[in-house]
Amino acid sequence: MSFLTRSRLLFGAGALTVLGLGYACAGRGSGSLAGTAEMAQRVYVAPGEKDELYAFLSGGFGGQLGVYGLPSGRLLRTIPVFSQHAENGYGYNEETKAMLETSYGFVPWDDLHHTALSQTEGDDDGRWIFVNGNNTPRVARIDLTTFETTEILEIPNAGGNHASPFVTGNTEYIVSSTRFSIPVPNRDVPIDEYKKFFKGQISFITADQPGKMDIAFQLIVPGFNYDLARAGKGPSDGWMFFTSYNSEQANTLLEVNASQNDKDYIAAVNYRAAEACAKAGKGVRAPAEYRHNIFDEFSRIARSERMTSVLQIQAAACPGSIYFLPTPKSPHGADVDPTGEYIVAGGKLATVIPVHSATKMLKAIADRQFEGELEGIPVLKYESTLAGEVQEPGLGPLHTEFDGQGFAYTSMFISSEVVKWNVETRQVVDRAPTFYSVGHLMIPGGATRHPYGRYVLAMNKITKDRYLPTGPELTQSAQLYDITGEKMKLLLDFPTQGEPHYANAIDAKKVVDRQVKFYKLAENRHPMVSRSERETGVERAGRVVHVRMTAIRSHFAPDNIEGVQVGDTVLVHVTNLEQDWDVPHGFAILGANTSELLIMPGETRTLRWIPRKPGVYPMYCTDFCSALHQEMQGYVRVSPAGSTVALTANTRRGAQARGTN
Ligand code: RUQ
Ligand code: CUA
């Protein structure tokens, strides 16, 4: 965004008088002293106390997920998902590299936008959180007992996985839909023949069994851009709603060419009907190449499976499985209220917020109130599904969340505000400025049947003057509001990892008791595990040297290795022998072209190292584990290729070699 556009956005925003203030005021100018004290009290978590909620904020273009405590806004952990993470070796060590395999090879980055907590009967259950990779289309499962990524599924025939991974009420499915339509199957065609070749695609992915994510079916739909989604519940149970824009099917200068039509569409998918249609044999198994990466619980090693086909259904071949609901104008968010009756769309360029009614939609379908069809998909009449519109809500409505008390909260990107309105009457009842250009909002449990309410979190696209500046790139930011009263109250600004898109929060109680404290050594099925120092040693197989090593406070065994040669591939398999909570050990070696290992108690991690020069190479523990952590070190002697130095290792301190050469 150019500075000019940016300033226009900001200064056009009315609510932003605060911009005139200097730095000292900008950060502290949100209320009187008494007000500030009250705000501070609401978010203050005293030393030794814990937050009431876990919040999972997408780490956007870092390809990772941030775990924060709320209401404090304190960062608790970064969970790497689609990105390598040097802090714990994810994507660098031999055990986890396979998680980042795709049909395009190793892709150590993605753009993570949306989160979806697993649900049971429409409420968050605290088992998993799912996230999407937008760029190289993928979805991932994160296990909330370990806060680790345990499964990644690539989505074929997708050109950007944005409308993802929204979850159904019993986690039967998560969804994925393509942001950019592409030729299906993808092939070499002229771009300006977009209308002829480019297709959209909506995938339903089975998600309730860990390790078994699979694409149940792919619906092939018109070549629009599909943006966001939400599952129905109550009267809309069995439906999933996807916004779409670019119904113009433009392939260049979309800012103009995809903003022509007054209305685009919500695609309402009856996934039970689509399932039945697939079962009735109306789909085809089409060839498709994609990866399914699974992290094994017992060996704690990831493997990547190559998938070769996907079940495809042409939307027109399954009447009753999909309908288009006209929706003004280039809609972005699609959100369903806790009762499941209302489907709210955020039209980036719309002047109203349209609210569709599930009951009216079902009736309109029964009465065939169609205004036409698009590639065989019936288009319902706008009035036939509309419950009403929120008038004059503000500028640039994007996303809506619900508090479970009958109110909806919509983010206004252009006018930088949160607008609270009554779901039944669609009257605006309150507005609060955000600083600035808010994207998603998040109410804890807002996507469930029973929102936890209490707070709304605004995730902003621009922070401008809110924090100490940090060079050309200013921090990313979220803002927490109290919503327990009639009026929203801003409580807290806190910086986040960039860029936060969507988030979920869950009552900490649902997660705390599930925590794995360490991995049982007796259950470690890693092929290179050493369950005690007696099982350690070195072994050569041609140019590959395996080192089986253990770590325990405060030494490695072995800690002196000789007989490694320049050009060998050295695989150091380190098992952490500790059997206690919060005692990881680290491992690093001078000059290795990879990150450290961080080894949790009871697990085995492998570092790959190809020494290039003769010499003696220190290795050490990187995690300050004990008073004698600095002593937790050793040496590897590297000799020239072809040297006669025997491969040996001292497997116990002071004891001599038990090399198996
Ligand atoms: S997006 S700011 Cu969810 Cu990628 Cu709307
Ligand atoms: Cu082990 Cu430091």
Side-chain angles (χ1 to χ4, degrees), residues 364-585:
I365 291 169
D367 299 346
R368 306 186 61 79
Q369 298 217 36
F370 305 143
E371 63 169 46
E373 56 171 52
L374 273 169
E375 300 186 22
I377 299 169
V379 180
L380 289 156
K381 291 191 181 124
Y382 181 56
E383 291 73 24
S384 75
T385 62
L386 192 73
E389 294 168 339
V390 182
Q391 299 295 329
E392 297 184 10
L395 300 178
L398 289 184
H399 298 282
T400 300
E401 290 272 300
F402 304 91
D403 65 3
Q405 311 291 319
F407 294 100
Y409 299 73
T410 302
S411 55
M412 298 291 159
F413 178 79
I414 299 174
S415 53
S416 286
E417 55 187 337
V418 184
V419 172
K420 175 180 177 181
W421 50 277
N422 183 305
V423 179
E424 288 293 335
T425 66
R426 290 169 288 283
Q427 295 301 311
V428 172
V429 296
D430 190 25
R431 344 178 140 256
T434 63
F435 308 96
Y436 307 95
S437 299
V438 56
H440 277 270
L441 300 174
M442 182 274 285
I443 290 180
T448 70
R449 283 170 49 229
H450 302 101
Y452 187 90
R454 300 175 62 87
Y455 305 103
V456 64
L457 187 74
M459 284 155 279
N460 302 320
K461 303 299 183 193
I462 298 171
T463 55
K464 218 170 161 72
D465 55 3
R466 296 298 280 188
Y467 300 92
L468 290 174
T470 51
E473 191 195 3
L474 301 179
T475 186
Q476 311 280 328
S477 175
Q479 291 187 294
L480 189 72
Y481 298 79
D482 169 84
I483 56 167
T484 54
E486 237 170 77
K487 298 272 167 207
M488 292 176 269
K489 276 193 217 132
L490 177 60
L491 299 175
L492 179 72
D493 276 16
F494 65 93
T496 68
Q497 294 163 323
E499 163 188 325
H501 285 264
Y502 191 48
N504 285 131
I506 185 169
D507 187 344
K509 288 196 238 56
K510 291 190 180 175
V511 174
V512 167
D513 293 339
R514 299 173 176 272
Q515 295 309 292
V516 167
K517 300 198 165 84
F518 58 87
Y519 303 104
K520 293 196 183 105
L521 205 48
E523 289 173 8
N524 182 327
R525 284 192 216 142
H526 194 292
M528 290 294 174
V529 62
S530 309
R531 286 196 191 76
S532 73
E533 291 186 10
R534 278 182 305 279
E535 293 179 20
T536 61
V538 286
E539 197 176 298
R540 175 181 287 284
R543 297 306 311 268
V544 178
V545 174
H546 288 282
V547 179
R548 287 157 71 128
M549 187 182 281
T550 56
I552 195 163
R553 281 163 289 178
S554 301
H555 64 273
F556 293 109
D559 67 359
N560 281 194
I561 297 163
E562 300 202 352
V564 169
Q565 298 179 10
V566 169
D568 281 346
T569 296
V570 184
L571 295 167
V572 190
H573 313 283
V574 188
T575 301
N576 180 346
L577 294 179
E578 310 277 355
Q579 292 287 271
D580 204 353
W581 202 7
D582 199 21
V583 200
H585 291 286

Side-chain angles (χ1 to χ4, degrees), residues 564-570 591 593 609-614 617 636 638:
V564 169
Q565 298 179 10
V566 169
D568 281 346
T569 296
V570 184
N593 300 102
W609 171 47
I610 304 176
R612 294 160 188 247
K613 290 182 268 188
Y617 289 74
V636 183
V638 175

Side-chain angles (χ1 to χ4, degrees), residues 54-336:
Y54 282 99
F56 301 92
L57 273 66
S58 95
F61 36 71
Q64 61 199 16
L65 186 69
V67 185
Y68 298 76
L70 286 183
S72 72
R74 297 180 296 189
L75 176 67
L76 303 173
R77 169 136 320 284
T78 299
I79 303 173
V81 184
F82 303 112
S83 52
Q84 288 175 300
H85 193 55
E87 185 183 328
N88 66 2
Y90 177 87
Y92 288 102
N93 61 47
E94 296 306 298
E95 285 76 12
T96 54
K97 275 180 183 166
M99 292 304 285
L100 302 178
E101 284 298 331
T102 74
S103 65
Y104 305 91
F106 184 75
V107 180
W109 170 83
D110 217 310
D111 181 18
L112 191 160
H113 282 219
H114 304 123
T115 58
L117 284 162
S118 58
Q119 295 188 0
T120 302
E121 286 174 18
D123 286 316
D124 295 330
D125 58 27
R127 287 182 293 168
W128 310 298
I129 187 162
F130 300 95
V131 297
N132 70 327
N134 192 33
N135 181 59
T136 302
R138 290 176 273 186
V139 289
R141 178 198 309 274
I142 292 151
D143 186 328
L144 293 182
T145 67
T146 58
F147 284 64
E148 281 180 323
T149 306
T150 53
E151 192 171 6
I152 293 181
L153 181 70
E154 187 183 351
I155 315 295
N157 300 314
N161 174 35
H162 194 261
S164 181
F166 301 94
V167 68
T168 59
N170 280 306
T171 319
E172 300 94 335
Y173 293 120
I174 54 173
V175 296
S176 160
S177 175
T178 194
R179 169 155 166 217
F180 312 110
S181 283
I182 51 172
V184 174
N186 206 350
R187 59 202 185 279
D188 171 20
V189 302
I191 297 169
D192 65 5
E193 294 190 43
Y194 184 104
K195 287 187 182 154
K196 183 163 162 205
F197 291 113
F198 288 48
K199 290 287 166 206
Q201 170 273 118
I202 290 173
S203 294
F204 283 78
I205 298 155
T206 53
D208 52 356
Q209 305 257 349
K212 302 219 169 99
M213 284 207 283
D214 193 11
I215 300 170
F217 55 88
Q218 270 192 340
L219 269 176
I220 304 300
V221 291
F224 308 157
N225 293 35
Y226 294 84
D227 218 13
L228 279 141
R230 239 354 150 189
K233 38 182 148 348
S236 54
D237 182 47
W239 292 78
M240 182 70 76
F241 302 94
F242 298 85
T243 48
S244 69
Y245 63 102
N246 193 21
S247 56
E248 298 85 349
Q249 304 198 38
N251 59 285
T252 173
L253 259 188
L254 261 64
E255 63 173 327
V256 178
N257 295 332
S259 306
Q260 299 299 309
N261 295 347
D262 213 38
K263 298 205 173 54
D264 295 275
Y265 303 100
I266 282 182
V269 177
N270 180 339
Y271 55 84
R272 303 230 167 90
E275 256 170 21
C277 185
K279 281 217 182 83
K282 300 278 173 58
V284 252
R285 274 254 145 221
E289 202 198 334
Y290 57 106
R291 290 302 186 103
H292 179 209
N293 306 331
I294 312 127
F295 190 71
D296 179 78
E297 183 185 349
F298 294 104
S299 64
R300 300 189 48 71
I301 298 177
R303 64 177 194 279
S304 181
E305 288 174 351
R306 199 168 152 259
M307 314 298 284
T308 54
S309 72
V310 67
L311 182 63
Q312 275 178 1
I313 308 173
Q314 299 296 326
C318 287
S321 62
I322 175 167
Y323 298 87
F324 280 127
L325 279 53
T327 298
K329 165 169 194 170
S330 300
H332 184 59
D335 295 289
V336 177

